[in-house]
Amino acid sequence: MKIKLFYLSLSLLFLVGTKSVAQHNPSFEEVLSLQSVSNPEVSPDGQHVLFTRQTVDWKENRYDTEIWISKSGEEPFQLTNNLKNSSYGARWSPDGKWIAFLSNRSDKTQIQVVRTDGGEALQVTNTKGNISSFEWSPDGKQILFLQEKDSSKETKKREDKFGGYAVEDAEYSLSQLWLIDFKPENLNLMLNPEQMEDSVFKASLEAKILIDSTDFTITGFEWSPDGSKIAFDHQPDPLINTFFKSDIAIYDVASGEYKTLIDNPSADGFLAWSPDSKSILYQSSLDDTTSNYYLNGNIFKINLDGSGKKQLAKNFDEEVYIRAWNDAGIFGVAWQKTNRAIVKVDSESGKVTLLKDLPNRVYDFSLSDDGKKIAYTAATNSDLPELYLADFPIKSAKKITNSTKQIDDWSVANSEVVSWKSEDGTVIEGALYKPQDYDPAKKYPLMVVIHGGPTGISVPQPVPSYVYPIVQWLNKGALVLSPNYRGSAGYGEKFRSLNVRNLGVGDAWDVLSGVESLEDKGMVDPEKVGAMGWSQGGYISAFLTTNSDKFKAISVGAGISNWMTYYVNTDIHPFTRQYLKGTPWSDKSIYEKTSPMTNINNASTPTLIQHGEFDKRVPPANAFELFQGLQDVGVETKLIIYKGFGHGISKPKERLAAMWHNWQWFGKYIWSEDIKLPIE
């Protein structure tokens, strides 16, 4: 389990890449249709690589993820093809002969397998629920998997007698750990319908519960390298805020018993097994007063008997996301300003070193069993993310994919990193995107696109997107600035803590000073400046709407308008308590100081509001409150609710609509254009 993963949904990552030859101004659909690669998984012997490729199915209005394979570093080919749902989570069997993955090919997500040398995919499990994750046993004879407890009978009985209702924070199903034997000889027989009717054969395919988590829910697990133990994360229930109470237990395969090893007052999460299976690596918040949002995580090594506890990476001032532990050391990834590096942590001294000779940003990687081969997905400032296979330590890297070919004839962003001093003297960086034909003698309209998080980050790239037509604005003759305001990842713990009890206020300083710095350089037309953002970026945009008259137009995407409204409605109440250091009942003044609605009477900027209908992270009440407030004070505003969506717009057609809505809004107020939706 990665302790901090859940809040990342506050942050929506942009697509990445860049090109130098300006030819074709891509359409919105072309940008949204860009294929991307991720999730590298190198084979145990280091010869082959699995990865996922995401494409867009406009007819079905969905993003499709399928598994691809490159054998011996050669041209990759598609391994799976689920016509209605995605395939993902591919894992090699320990002997490298099989590939298991998750896919919903009927009515539930189950484990499928396919031979490495080809053939038809076969379903290994046939359980009542959806399987969320799995792992091969080290000997390849069993597969461990996680799924929710089936409570459908109890639910139906209640509904039959009392109808439908829900008790807040009490409606959930616990996840259990299951085990199934993997018998390749049975897979061939599965193709025989008559054999499938044999009761003895059917029984051999049945899974069994390994850990019936009646008092807790299991959130993650991993076999020890020698196969004798299983480490697993557990917490009282699967509710998002209960992760603060997560602990780590060790299951002994021989005895069938488990014992909690790590149980600090706050969140604990398993990271990796030592190569000798005698100790584990874990992350802990240590106590319930430590922030899980803006402080660096604490990484510890401990022996299975509880001895030898030692903190690692203590002096490294950034979050380290651990990926592997082998005889050469512990390896992970970490942001370093706008770059993302592979880092090595010495398992004894705890010292962290950055690996060299890599692209600007490594998003994920996988090491072979002997640690001599590495597959990784990475991007430079001018390319889309690509898959690489290399010797380890990094040398002889071979690029397996050619995703950047998609934008060869596009006119895309000419991007760079710029910096400036904020109002309080803090140095702020940001990504500045320029048109390909940028003329330093001209003054340009400026569009400010603010990332979410707040621990997100903006980076130099050729095709920044999501619901903002950035490339098209550049080709229309504008500059785009994406500030890494205080709180952003990559700049250390102290920087991430600068917006504690200063949300909105300090963030606004950083954005406004960035605009001013470009104006002082003579780059920007001060009468044509707009701002926008999603999630935390939407909140900052809303704060600017009610606290500044600098902008000619603003777009607020899934933004907070009132911290009190947010606090009582969101699904992550601790976020507000930790950043504002109080509740609305204990410190009303800090909630008022940092809320956009406090100064609604000062608002004057035309504001577009975009929000998902079922957003639990930033509930729609925030959108309606800002919308009504702006109407009451006579500010031109428009509220658009995207039906069926939560915190993010996750389908291509609605993402296209949101992009058009921003194009229209800023076209009207920045360029004085009356743009109609292209409905044919």
Side-chain angles (χ1 to χ4, degrees):
M1 179 181 113
K2 303 299 184 289
I3 289 180
K4 301 190 178 184
L5 283 184
F6 77 85
Y7 72 80
L8 289 179
S9 59
L10 285 169
S11 176
L12 290 157
L13 301 178
F14 292 148
L15 293 168
V16 204
T18 188
K19 252 331 181 205
S20 59
V21 179
Q23 298 182 45
H24 167 58
N25 182 24
S27 66
F28 299 164
E29 288 90 340
E30 286 178 305
V31 169
L32 294 174
S33 296
L34 279 175
Q35 299 182 17
S36 60
V37 298
S38 58
N39 303 311
E41 187 77 11
V42 70
S43 61
D45 62 5
Q47 296 301 304
H48 316 307
V49 186
L50 299 170
F51 64 97
T52 56
R53 188 189 298 272
Q54 179 180 277
T55 59
V56 174
D57 185 336
W58 286 99
K59 181 178 180 181
E60 297 294 331
N61 193 24
R62 72 183 185 97
Y63 290 98
D64 179 52
T65 299
E66 298 296 342
I67 300 164
W68 287 60
I69 185 172
S70 169
K71 291 188 175 182
S72 302
E74 298 302 317
E75 184 75 17
F77 60 90
Q78 190 169 338
L79 190 66
T80 65
N81 187 19
N82 190 337
L83 298 178
K84 293 295 182 181
N85 293 286
S86 294
S87 301
Y88 55 95
R91 296 290 183 270
W92 295 95
S93 63
D95 61 8
K97 295 180 179 180
W98 294 90
I99 299 163
F101 60 95
L102 292 174
S103 190
N104 184 336
R105 299 193 171 208
S106 51
D107 60 343
K108 53 195 173 184
T109 301
Q110 296 290 300
I111 301 172
Q112 319 279 334
V113 295
V114 64
R115 294 182 186 275
T116 303
D117 56 7
E120 183 178 349
L122 297 170
Q123 186 170 311
V124 176
T125 55
N126 187 27
T127 64
K128 293 181 179 180
N130 291 307
I131 296 174
S132 58
S133 60
F134 71 92
E135 189 183 30
W136 291 91
S137 62
D139 62 9
K141 294 181 180 180
Q142 295 175 307
I143 299 177
L144 197 62
F145 63 91
L146 197 63
Q147 72 172 4
E148 289 185 353
K149 180 181 179 181
D150 181 16
S151 56
S152 57
K153 290 183 179 180
E154 293 85 348
T155 300
K156 188 176 187 307
K157 286 181 180 179
R158 192 183 79 176
E159 290 180 349
D160 287 346
K161 188 172 182 65
F162 298 108
Y165 66 88
V167 180
E168 185 68 11
D169 291 344
E171 303 290 329
Y172 52 76
S173 293
L174 302 177
S175 289
Q176 303 167 316
L177 206 52
W178 290 65
L179 188 69
I180 191 168
D181 293 332
F182 179 69
K183 299 178 179 179
E185 64 274 14
N186 284 349
L187 294 176
N188 294 323
L189 296 173
M190 286 175 66
L191 296 176
N192 185 341
E194 295 180 359
Q195 183 68 35
M196 286 299 295
E197 296 301 319
D198 184 271
S199 59
V200 175
F201 174 70
K202 290 176 69 176
S204 72
L205 298 177
E206 291 181 357
K208 61 180 181 180
I209 295 178
L210 186 69
I211 301 176
D212 188 356
S213 52
T214 55
D215 297 320
F216 53 78
T217 192
I218 298 174
T219 56
F221 57 92
E222 187 173 313
W223 291 91
S224 63
D226 64 7
S228 67
K229 304 283 193 300
I230 297 168
F232 66 93
D233 297 319
H234 63 89
Q235 60 191 55
D237 58 60
L239 299 175
I240 191 168
N241 295 320
T242 311
F243 96 97
F244 286 98
K245 300 178 181 179
S246 59
D247 296 320
I248 306 168
I250 305 297
Y251 176 87
D252 182 78
V253 174
S255 67
E257 298 179 349
Y258 60 85
K259 183 179 180 180
T260 296
L261 177 62
I262 309 296
D263 59 352
N264 291 304
S266 191
D268 304 309
F270 173 83
L271 295 176
W273 280 98
S274 63
D276 62 7
S277 301
K278 295 180 180 179
S279 57
I280 67 165
L281 201 67
Y282 69 96
Q283 184 173 331
S284 179
S285 296
L286 298 181
D287 60 67
D288 55 9
T289 63
T290 301
S291 171
N292 300 92
Y293 297 96
Y294 51 82
L295 299 183
N296 293 332
N298 302 293
I299 299 174
F300 295 91
K301 180 181 70 171
I302 193 170
N303 296 328
L304 293 185
D305 62 4
S307 66
K309 178 181 174 181
K310 185 174 185 178
Q311 186 170 358
L312 307 179
K314 188 175 182 179
N315 297 320
F316 184 73
D317 189 19
E318 254 306 324
E319 194 70 36
V320 179
Y321 300 94
I322 302 298
R323 294 290 187 266
W325 186 358
N326 59 32
D327 292 331
I330 299 163
F331 298 90
V333 291
W335 284 102
Q336 294 290 280
K337 294 189 175 179
T338 57
N339 289 333
R340 185 173 166 97
I342 296 180
V343 300
K344 176 183 177 182
V345 183
D346 187 276
S347 59
E348 296 302 323
S349 68
K351 181 181 178 182
V352 178
T353 55
L354 275 63
L355 274 61
K356 300 179 180 180
D357 302 321
L358 285 160
N360 299 90
R361 286 170 294 281
V362 176
Y363 290 102
D364 204 355
F365 68 89
S366 170
L367 288 163
S368 60
D369 283 353
D370 61 8
K372 294 181 179 180
K373 286 284 187 178
I374 182 171
Y376 55 93
T377 49
T380 68
N381 291 342
S382 59
D383 291 330
L384 299 174
E386 305 284 8
L387 174 70
Y388 297 83
L389 180 63
D391 295 331
F392 191 85
I394 308 296
K395 61 180 180 180
S396 305
K398 181 177 182 179
K399 188 170 69 171
I400 303 299
T401 58
N402 190 12
S403 298
T404 307
K405 185 179 181 180
Q406 298 173 95
I407 60 172
D408 273 349
D409 64 345
W410 288 16
S411 177
V412 295
N414 182 359
S415 61
E416 62 185 89
V417 176
V418 295
S419 64
W420 60 91
K421 282 190 177 181
S422 190
E423 183 173 319
D424 62 351
T426 301
V427 176
I428 305 297
E429 286 190 345
L432 178 63
Y433 308 109
K434 299 177 180 178
Q436 289 289 335
D437 59 354
Y438 173 72
D439 182 354
K442 289 177 57 177
K443 289 187 177 182
Y444 289 82
L446 176 66
M447 313 299 282
V448 182
V449 180
I450 309 169
H451 70 68
T455 55
I457 187 168
S458 294
V459 300
Q461 51 182 307
V463 193
S465 178
Y466 187 49
V467 298
Y468 305 112
I470 295 175
V471 171
Q472 290 77 16
W473 279 327
L474 295 172
N475 293 331
K476 189 180 182 70
L479 298 176
V480 176
L481 176 66
S482 290
N484 286 327
Y485 55 89
R486 61 193 63 208
S488 300
Y491 297 88
E493 182 179 281
K494 183 178 179 181
F495 186 83
R496 292 200 307 275
S497 303
L498 285 176
N499 52 11
V500 175
R501 290 184 64 83
N502 197 31
L503 287 168
V505 179
D507 308 336
W509 295 343
D510 301 343
V511 174
L512 291 168
S513 60
V515 174
E516 183 180 350
S517 71
L518 296 181
E519 290 179 348
D520 289 345
K521 294 177 182 177
M523 302 172 69
V524 171
D525 180 348
E527 298 302 315
K528 294 184 177 181
V529 182
M532 70 212 73
W534 201 270
S535 190
Q536 186 74 8
Y539 157 65
I540 297 171
S541 298
F543 193 90
L544 291 167
T545 279
T546 62
N547 288 277
S548 171
D549 59 3
K550 175 62 189 173
F551 302 96
K552 294 302 177 184
I554 282 178
S555 174
V556 175
I560 297 106
S561 61
N562 186 326
W563 281 116
M564 185 179 293
T565 301
Y566 173 82
Y567 178 72
V568 299
N569 284 279
T570 186
D571 62 352
I572 54 167
H573 311 289
F575 175 87
T576 314
R577 293 199 298 265
Q578 289 191 10
Y579 270 101
L580 298 182
K581 295 298 181 184
T583 67
W585 342 119
S586 67
D587 193 347
K588 183 180 179 182
S589 62
I590 191 63
Y591 277 71
E592 291 177 339
K593 175 185 176 182
T594 55
S595 290
M597 292 303 298
T598 300
N599 293 319
I600 189 68
N601 288 324
N602 298 331
S604 61
T605 307
T607 302
L608 171 67
I609 305 169
Q610 300 175 300
H611 222 103
E613 180 183 17
F614 301 125
D615 192 343
K616 292 183 177 181
R617 188 61 35 87
V618 181
N622 288 270
F624 288 105
E625 187 168 348
L626 179 61
F627 180 60
Q628 187 61 49
L630 291 172
Q631 285 185 312
D632 288 348
V633 298
V635 175
E636 187 160 357
T637 182
K638 177 184 289 186
L639 170 60
I640 301 176
I641 299 294
Y642 298 91
K643 300 293 185 179
F645 292 93
H647 193 53
I649 308 301
S650 57
K651 292 184 179 181
K653 289 184 179 179
E654 286 78 5
R655 197 172 282 187
L656 175 64
M659 189 175 281
W660 268 104
H661 294 147
N662 280 303
W663 182 255
Q664 288 178 305
W665 191 257
F666 290 101
K668 177 179 180 180
Y669 292 102
I670 302 296
W671 282 278
S672 301
E673 297 175 344
D674 183 15
I675 301 172
K676 305 296 184 184
L677 282 177
I679 301 174
E680 297 180 358

